[in-house]
Amino acid sequence: MHHSKIMVLLGLLFTLDSVDASTFATATAGASSSGNQACGLGEECSEAHAVGGPYASADALAWSGPGSARAVATATSINLGMQTATASANTVVDGGAVLVRGGGGIGDVVTLRGRLVIESDLDYGLSGIAGTGGSCCSISSILALNVTVERKDPVHGYVGESDFEFDITDQFESVAPPIDRPFSNTQSIAILENGSGVLSPLAESAYLNGDPISFAFQMGYADEFRVRLNLEVSVKADASTNPGCVMFNPDGGCVVDSTLDDNIAWISLDAGHSLYWAGLEASDAVGNPVQILSTSGFDLSQNYFPLVSVPVPASVFLFPSGLAGLLALIRRDRLARLSLGARHEPQRLPV
């Protein structure tokens, strides 16, 4: 298994100590489902675990806390159970601040520039083939980040109308192919923005390369504002189709039907410690620094990104929910001899 850590700096303001923070986690494996169980990492933490007999499992974890948040989703399915496993983890955090005019402040408009660090790993394995019944197995994942900046109305408060908003959506899919065909992976990344802020035109290439992505927005002195950040990771491992005949005689007769217990799909999208507030700067019309007063209780100019990442405790999030022993016993020799199967090594998703 290969692991990768890709850190992305996004220009962003949010405060994780605000009153409004929430987490949500769901998992399904076959007919089994679970959602939003309390976990041991603190008040704002949810987890979910589902097991569909001995052949499918799903796990999800969502957590938010001072200066950081994380989201993890894992799913495993073996074709012998003919099931699908899905997992989703979602965390939402709000942060608020107000700008204070100091001595000598020039102009009425303040420009704000912030930073956020994101870490994420995508690991997956896919062993199987497609036959007369279709593809036995597939895996897919989505990482979606939505950021909104909203100015507080002096009369009505926050009403959900953003001044600036952007989305980053990263989707990945791999499907087990017919015999003697290569595995094909599909990835698509979409970055959208709307409103009166500015997102770097190089945002997509910077995102892919793990370079800083910046954006800026403006507020007036004494304006109170908030940023809402919504991060969701979701995965799906589908081994619900019997691929049927996978090898034929020259006259079209079937030689070998698929061996279902050799067909496996598993995927893990780990955005563990995925969000770190990494500081905020504000300046007036001529570049003089402007004081930022956090209404949520911690200093927005502080960098909360640690020098060394801390992994998710194994006691809190278990992968793959007790299936490790079963996976180790799965027979692969028959498909190996017939050259009917293929295993795709875990790949990394640039995030």
Side-chain angles (χ1 to χ4, degrees):
M1 179 185 298
H2 301 293
H3 295 279
S4 61
K5 292 186 177 179
I6 300 95
M7 295 175 291
V8 179
L9 299 179
L10 302 177
L12 170 64
L13 166 66
F14 76 102
T15 60
L16 288 167
D17 282 24
S18 68
V19 175
D20 191 358
S22 63
T23 58
F24 191 75
T26 61
T28 62
S32 172
S33 63
S34 171
N36 245 28
Q37 303 172 0
C39 67
L41 294 181
E43 181 179 353
E44 293 300 336
C45 180
S46 301
E47 62 181 348
H49 309 279
V51 177
Y55 305 115
S57 70
D59 301 277
L61 171 69
W63 176 86
S64 63
S68 65
R70 67 181 73 159
V72 185
T74 299
T76 302
S77 186
I78 300 173
N79 205 200
L80 191 63
M82 306 291 287
Q83 298 178 95
T84 298
T86 63
S88 177
N90 176 264
T91 179
V92 179
V93 287
D94 287 355
V98 64
L99 302 173
V100 179
R101 183 189 291 272
I106 296 177
D108 297 324
V109 177
V110 177
T111 299
L112 297 102
R113 302 175 182 86
R115 294 182 299 274
L116 175 74
V117 174
I118 294 183
E119 293 185 331
S120 183
D121 292 333
L122 175 70
D123 289 321
Y124 70 92
L126 193 58
S127 175
I129 45 181
T132 54
S135 177
C136 72
C137 316
S138 66
I139 54 93
S140 60
S141 69
I142 299 176
L143 185 151
L145 173 67
N146 169 260
V147 178
T148 60
V149 179
E150 181 182 2
R151 192 189 314 261
K152 186 176 182 179
D153 186 276
V155 177
H156 303 290
Y158 292 117
V159 296
E161 296 181 359
S162 63
D163 291 69
F164 178 62
E165 179 176 8
F166 72 86
D167 296 90
I168 298 177
T169 305
D170 201 334
Q171 301 184 69
F172 181 85
E173 182 180 25
S174 185
V175 180
I179 186 173
D180 297 330
R181 301 277 183 88
F183 279 77
S184 60
N185 303 323
T186 302
Q187 182 180 17
S188 63
I189 298 173
I191 300 179
L192 304 174
E193 61 178 305
N194 183 49
S196 57
V198 178
L199 181 64
S200 168
L202 302 177
E204 182 172 350
S205 61
Y207 174 80
L208 287 171
N209 295 325
D211 297 330
I213 300 175
S214 62
F215 87 93
F217 60 96
Q218 293 182 325
M219 289 287 164
Y221 290 103
D223 277 348
E224 188 172 351
F225 58 93
R226 73 175 182 183
V227 172
R228 169 162 288 183
L229 181 147
N230 188 326
L231 173 71
E232 180 172 4
V233 299
S234 60
V235 296
K236 179 180 181 180
D238 189 344
S240 61
T241 300
N242 187 335
C245 187
V246 297
M247 180 175 283
F248 300 88
N249 285 321
D251 61 4
C254 183
V255 176
V256 178
D257 285 333
S258 173
T259 303
L260 298 182
D261 60 356
D262 283 305
N263 299 331
I264 307 166
W266 70 264
I267 183 168
S268 175
L269 179 52
D270 181 352
H273 281 286
S274 57
L275 302 181
Y276 291 100
W277 178 244
L280 177 72
E281 297 177 350
S283 58
D284 66 13
V286 296
N288 296 320
V290 174
Q291 182 181 358
I292 304 167
L293 177 63
S294 173
T295 59
S296 58
F298 78 86
D299 186 358
L300 287 173
S301 64
Q302 181 176 344
N303 185 349
Y304 290 84
F305 180 69
L307 295 178
V308 179
S309 298
V310 179
V312 176
S315 60
V316 175
F317 187 79
L318 301 177
F319 170 74
S321 292
L323 287 179
L326 178 61
L327 292 175
L329 295 176
I330 291 176
R331 300 185 309 275
R332 300 181 182 277
D333 51 334
R334 184 184 179 197
L335 282 182
R337 288 198 306 271
L338 295 174
S339 301
L340 298 178
R343 176 173 176 80
H344 202 290
E345 290 300 320
Q347 301 293 314
R348 62 186 182 184
L349 176 65
V351 291

